[in-house]
């Protein structure tokens, strides 16, 4: 399983686990499909920031794979 620290590993349509801003203390993850990539740099130590299709924004902790659609 890939971590979300490399921008090149993430693209719209992937299923990922993200940590929302309000969940950073607990580390609770939320699963969803990437809609937009918000981080411009090629890497980020805490994960690339993305917007999910449902509008939630957070940093990618794990890449699950292609969406089942």
């Amino acid at each position: 399983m890939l971590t979300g620290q490399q921008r090149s590993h993430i693209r719209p349509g992937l299923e990922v686990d993200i940590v929302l801003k309000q969940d950073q203390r607990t580390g609770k993850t939320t699963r969803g499909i990437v809609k937009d990539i918000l981080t411009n740099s090629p890497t980020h130590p805490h994960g690339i920031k993305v917007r999910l299709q449902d509008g939630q924004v957070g940093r990618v902790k794990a890449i699950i794979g292609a969406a089942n659609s």
Side-chain angles (χ1 to χ4, degrees), residues 7 11 14 32-33 35 39 42 47 50 52 58-59 61-62 64 67 69:
R7 192 177 194 275
R11 64 186 186 278
L14 279 183
I33 308 299
K35 180 180 179 187
T39 299
V50 298
L52 300 180
R59 294 199 180 272
K61 288 298 169 195
I64 308 308
S69 56

Side-chain angles (χ1 to χ4, degrees), residues 4-20:
Q5 297 177 341
Q6 299 246 336
R7 192 177 194 275
S8 62
H9 293 164
I10 300 168
R11 64 186 186 278
L14 279 183
E15 187 174 17
V16 296
D17 284 340
I18 66 168
V19 174
L20 303 172

Side-chain angles (χ1 to χ4, degrees), residues 9-69:
H9 293 164
I10 300 168
R11 64 186 186 278
L14 279 183
E15 187 174 17
V16 296
D17 284 340
I18 66 168
V19 174
L20 303 172
K21 182 78 171 175
Q22 66 266 27
D23 295 331
Q24 283 178 348
R25 285 175 168 266
T26 64
K28 176 181 167 275
T29 60
T30 301
R31 186 162 290 183
I33 308 299
V34 176
K35 180 180 179 187
D36 301 308
I37 301 172
L38 304 178
T39 299
N40 288 322
S41 63
T43 63
H44 193 285
H46 300 124
I48 300 297
K49 190 178 279 188
V50 298
R51 178 179 296 116
L52 300 180
Q53 287 181 342
D54 63 6
Q56 297 184 95
V57 173
R59 294 199 180 272
V60 177
K61 288 298 169 195
I63 299 170
I64 308 308
N68 300 329
S69 56

